[in-house]
C-alpha cells in the first residue's frame, strides 16, 4: 500500500517494493495492477522477494527508503538500518513508520487493554488462530522507541534524525538522512 501511495503522490520514476513473503508480494502486484492512480503516475513498479538485512541492490541505489510497520520484526534492527543506509544515495532520506507505545497516563491504559485484549480477540475470530495478533503488543513493546530508535539510526550512520509521534503516541514516524 505504501508503494502505491508513493507512486500516486510523488510520481517517482521507479518504486521497488520488498517483502520476505511471496504471498504478500502477489497481493501487492494485484493491487498495483488494479490501482488506476498508480498506473497513471507513469511509475515503474517492481516487487521483489528479499531480506531487508541483505538487500540485493548495489550501494547508493535509492533516493528514499521507507519501511511501514515492519522494522519491529527485523531479526537484527541495527543490521537492517545499516543495510538501508548502504542502499541510499548520499543525501537520501529514510522514513520509518512504526507502531509505538503511548506514554500518556491517560492513553496508556486504554492502549494496553486494546492491544492485549481486543486485537488478539479480533485476530482469533478472523483467523481462527489462538495466537493470531497476540504477538503484536509484545513486538511493539520490544522495539526501541523515540530517542532510543533515533540512537540506533545514528549508530547505523544516519544523521539529522527526528521522530514524530502520532495518534497519542500509538504510531511514530522516524526520519533520518544519509
Amino acid at each position: 500500500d505504501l508503494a502505491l501511495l508513493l507512486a500516486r503522490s510523488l510520481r517517482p520514476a521507479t518504486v521497488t517494493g520488498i517483502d520476505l513473503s511471496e504471498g504478500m508480494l502477489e497481493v501487492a502486484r494485484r493491487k498495483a495492477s488494479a490501482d488506476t492512480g498508480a498506473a497513471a503516475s507513469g511509475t515503474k513498479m517492481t516487487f521483489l522477494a528479499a531480506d531487508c538485512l541483505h538487500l540485493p541492490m548495489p550501494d547508493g541505489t535509492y533516493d528514499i527508503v521507507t519501511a511501514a510497520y515492519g522494522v519491529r520484526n527485523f531479526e537484527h534492527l541495527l543490521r537492517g538500518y545499516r543495510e538501508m543506509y548502504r542502499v541510499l544515495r548520499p543525501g537520501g532520506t529514510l522514513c520509518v513508520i512504526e507502531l509505538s507505545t503511548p506514554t500518556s497516563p491517560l492513553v496508556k491504559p486504554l492502549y494496553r487493554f486494546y492491544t492485549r485484549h481486543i486485537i488478539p480477540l479480533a485476530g482469533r475470530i478472523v483467523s481462527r488462530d489462538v495466537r493470531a495478533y497476540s504477538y503484536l503488543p509484545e513486538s511493539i513493546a520490544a522495539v526501541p522507541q523515540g530517542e532510543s530508535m533515533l540512537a540506533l539510526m545514528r549508530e547505523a550512520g544516519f544523521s539529522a534524525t527526528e521522530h514524530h509521534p502520532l495518534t497519542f503516541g500509538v504510531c511514530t514516524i522516524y526520519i533520518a538522512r544519509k
Side-chain angles (χ1 to χ4, degrees), residues 43-144:
T43 300
K44 180 183 178 217
M45 307 275 303
T46 306
F47 297 99
L48 301 173
D51 182 344
C52 289
L53 302 181
H54 306 284
L55 295 169
M57 290 82 182
D59 296 358
T61 302
Y62 299 105
D63 295 314
I64 299 171
V65 171
T66 66
Y69 309 108
V71 299
R72 74 179 182 284
N73 297 315
F74 284 13
E75 187 175 6
H76 300 285
L77 187 51
L78 179 58
R79 280 191 7 217
Y81 280 142
R82 286 182 175 149
E83 191 66 356
M84 291 181 210
Y85 184 87
R86 182 187 69 77
V87 300
L88 268 174
R89 291 185 178 123
T93 301
L94 171 67
C95 177
V96 172
I97 306 165
E98 192 53 80
L99 296 171
S100 48
T101 305
T103 57
S104 163
L106 297 174
V107 176
K108 198 171 187 174
L110 297 171
Y111 166 85
R112 187 176 297 128
F113 180 79
Y114 180 74
T115 59
R116 293 186 179 167
H117 300 287
I118 304 300
I119 291 175
L121 176 64
R124 279 193 298 277
I125 291 169
V126 170
S127 70
R128 302 189 197 294
D129 179 356
V130 174
R131 180 88 172 116
Y133 293 96
S134 61
Y135 77 92
L136 191 61
E138 297 163 11
S139 69
I140 296 168
V143 73

